[in-house]
Amino acid sequence: MANISSPSVADPHEEPSLMARAFKEAFFAGLVSLGLFCLFVGVETYQNINNELVWRMRWGLLAVFVGVAAVGRFLNVAFIRPALDKRKLAKAKSGILDVSEDKGFFHRHFLKIALIALLIYPPVSVMLRGVQGSLLLVDNFGIQILIYVMLAWGLNIVVGLAGLLDLGYVAFYAVGAYSYALLSTHFGLSFWVLLPLAGIFAALWGIILGFPVLRLRGDYLAIVTLAFGEIIRLVLINWTEVTKGTFGISGIAKASIFGIWSFDVGSPSNFAKAFGLPMSSAYYKIFLFYVILLLCMLTAYVTIRLRRMPIGRAWEALREDEIACRSLGINTVTTKLTAFATGAMFGGFAGSFFAARQGFVSPESFVFIESAVILAIVVLGGMGSLTGIAIAAVVMVGGTELLREMNFLKVVFGPEFTPELYRMLIFGLAMVVVMLFKPRGFVGSRAPSAFLHKAKNVSGSFTKEGHG
Amino acid sequence: MSPLLHVKNVETYYGNIRALGGVDVMVEPGEIVCMIGANGAGKSTLMMTICGSPQARTGSVIFDGQDITRMPTHEIARLRIAQSPEGRRIFPRMTVYENLQMGASLDNLKYFNEDIEKIFTLFPRLKERQSQRGGTLSGGEQQMLSIGRALMARPKLLLLDEPSLGLAPLIVKGIFAAIKKLNEEEGLTVFLVEQNAFAALKLSHRGYVMVNGQVTMSGGGRELLANPEVRAAYLEGGHH
Ligand SMILES: Nc1ncnc2c1ncn2[C@@H]1O[C@H](COP(=O)(O)OP(=O)(O)OP(=O)(O)O)[C@@H](O)[C@H]1O
Ligand SMILES: [Mg+2]
């Protein structure tokens, strides 16, 4: 240990063996990735002039993949891991625990800082990139990530708090989106009327799903909710008179600033015209950014409040032990139904927001993989921790969006490399990595919601459930 | 005086298997009554039948003059029947303090502050551990928490399923002393199931013996202790 931590006075017997080990492991990593990627990446199918499907080997790209794996492994074994060990050792020696109470300024004021950063995010993007250029930052990153934050926080009520594994959450997102799309195109109702309505409809569907699955738990519940999500999607596809099937509904009205200013180009009260600004779709996106930020904050506020109220308590108790709950006088039926309904309601809000943002909805947006991604964010975030889930959403959604922009990857992988095709690969990889290093998610310990006196740091910090 | 709890000729089934075959039990207000019996005799089943899960197929359970046989479990609990069930069933990820709060959810925490002080004087160990997660407590501490949580509901009848299970003799003594104290000072009615027949019969006013889902013997606690049959089956043989 000691000689690793001080390479300058390294023991001559220790150093080469570390290097040798690193080389060996790098070789095996390369070999494994060669086996893995040989078919996935190495073989490409395409159509030739005669319209026949033929294949060719992409030796170069394959070599790059294998090379990245081998070099990465080498760096990890030879340098990164010793450095981490060294840091841990130093920490242990100096007696500072990871969980000490006196956190840094940033840590203590994390929420305030995050909120302020989010509030000034759109103006800063405009300053940096200009009005038109800010679209990418505000829409693709800001709004996209916040939608997932909201969805994940909504699902967190069902999965993280009440412990009901729901694989069909995207169904409520769809209900919200189609409620807005249909009611606004047919009845001309405004966004601000339809937002709560969409939430209520989704909550109703939450209860409708809740009833038949009341007796189910764990894997059985997961399968039924999965089926529910698919049923909703199939209804959307096949009920063509109402939903227009796979064509989807387009031309959905935009949200307005409380009916005062609108973002329709032809409208006399157009926002840009009213303020004498040049026409741009960026204003609408900036407005939407603040709307979804508000919705997210509403979700967080409600979740935090509910957790301290009897119903939130009951959800958490239900997750831990259903029989004990009943014997304490808790009606587990209503408790489960309210969890489904509340979670679904936030999904519905997010859905109607989604429809207003896109101006177009189709069943394609509500496939199973969306449910899976939202659930993955909840799990990675640490099941129940709002901060952890927000971090997970930023990492996973932001990361995959970032991938689209990473044109420099073409330098490494060759000019034909399209990074977004590897989205899911990276997503999966990131998940494996997080689960390896943080098996309980980013924020893995449940924060108690009640104290008698201010929690004593010792008992609090040493009793995190152990793992491994 | 009418009994607080009257179990009348109750039969309980798990599917087609009969676990209780016509059980009669009576608990008067202010009494400590215990049920002893071998593994698998049906003691826990009786406890759970009183709480309505599973429900009795025939016979009836009367509590405080009210027929509760067909009531759902949470409504039975609201009549102030509190239970420390088999396996303790505390909430492992919640703190000790939160577990106790859950116990007081019937009254919406109205008497919480005064009651928790009482629990903490009864089990000082819980006070020391109040911000620790339930799942990380020792077995004995979990048992204290399970009983404490049940008491937070201000029960008229306290059901305890093997409070001494897996505990050191000294801790068992402490827990039994606490039960006795609650009974003497506050008139709490207790019905408990025990493997530790000696300690349980010494503590109880009356006792029942259950064999294969049927009550075979009953009588005063000391009386049963002196009974040669009971001694042979539960005291001298497989001593716990
Ligand atoms: N859920 C169940 N499904 C089927 N059979 C059950 C179930 N629970 C208990 N039994 C059976 O009912 C009988 C009585 O079980 P019970 O748990 O009441 O025994 P007990 O007297 O509490 O035993 P112990 O002292 O070991 O706790 C046993 O034969 C048991 O196998
Ligand atoms: Mg038992």
Side-chain angles (χ1 to χ4, degrees), chain B residues 127-205:
Chain B
K127 184 165 187 169
E128 289 166 31
R129 304 267 158 193
Q130 56 175 298
S131 44
Q132 186 171 332
R133 277 161 223 285
T136 62
L137 295 176
S138 80
E141 290 161 348
Q142 289 190 9
Q143 190 65 57
M144 293 174 200
L145 180 57
S146 177
I147 297 174
R149 187 181 66 184
L151 287 171
M152 289 302 287
R154 302 200 147 198
K156 286 186 196 159
L157 172 65
L158 178 64
L159 303 177
L160 300 173
D161 197 334
E162 301 204 34
S164 74
L165 186 74
L167 303 187
L170 204 64
I171 308 215
V172 174
K173 233 178 168 172
I175 286 189
F176 277 26
I179 297 170
K180 200 177 174 77
K181 189 170 157 214
L182 283 167
N183 172 262
E184 282 172 359
E185 290 177 7
E186 316 204 353
L188 179 70
T189 313
V190 181
F191 180 46
L192 79 157
V193 157
E194 258 303 337
Q195 288 283 349
N196 188 341
F198 183 71
L201 287 172
K202 230 171 67 178
L203 170 78
S204 307
H205 301 113

Side-chain angles (χ1 to χ4, degrees), chain A residues 324 327, chain B residues 48 83-89 143 146 149 159 161:
Chain A
S327 75
Chain B
M48 296 310 288
Q83 184 180 197
S84 160
E86 185 162 44
R88 296 156 192 155
R89 292 194 174 272
Q143 190 65 57
S146 177
R149 187 181 66 184
L159 303 177
D161 197 334

Side-chain angles (χ1 to χ4, degrees), chain A residues 160 307 310 313-314 316-317 319-321 323-332 383 440 444-453 455-456 459-460 463-465, chain B residues 48 53 73-74 77-78 81-83 85 89-95 97-98 101-103 105-106 108-109 113 116-117 120 127-128 130-133 136 149-150:
Chain A
R307 255 197 83 196
R313 290 295 168 81
E316 287 198 80
R319 176 191 64 201
E320 314 257 296
D321 197 318
I323 293 175
C325 271
R326 270 191 229 119
S327 75
L328 293 174
I330 293 167
N331 185 342
T332 50
M383 293 274 234
R440 283 167 190 279
S445 63
R446 171 187 171 277
S449 53
F451 308 99
L452 183 55
H453 314 294
K456 305 232 169 58
S459 43
T463 54
K464 234 185 238 174
E465 301 115 290
Chain B
M48 296 310 288
S53 82
T73 304
H74 65 271
R78 287 177 191 174
I81 299 183
Q83 184 180 197
R89 292 194 174 272
I90 55 159
F91 302 118
R93 298 228 299 164
M94 293 186 165
T95 63
Y97 188 77
E98 288 170 318
Q101 274 194 330
M102 290 310 301
S105 38
L106 277 190
N108 230 334
L109 306 182
N113 289 332
I116 197 169
E117 281 312 317
F120 283 161
K127 184 165 187 169
E128 289 166 31
Q130 56 175 298
S131 44
Q132 186 171 332
R133 277 161 223 285
T136 62
R149 187 181 66 184

Side-chain angles (χ1 to χ4, degrees), chain A residues 405-417:
Chain A
E405 311 301 322
M406 286 191 180
N407 288 321
F408 70 86
L409 284 176
K410 292 196 177 167
V411 180
V412 184
F413 291 103
E416 277 167 48
F417 185 78

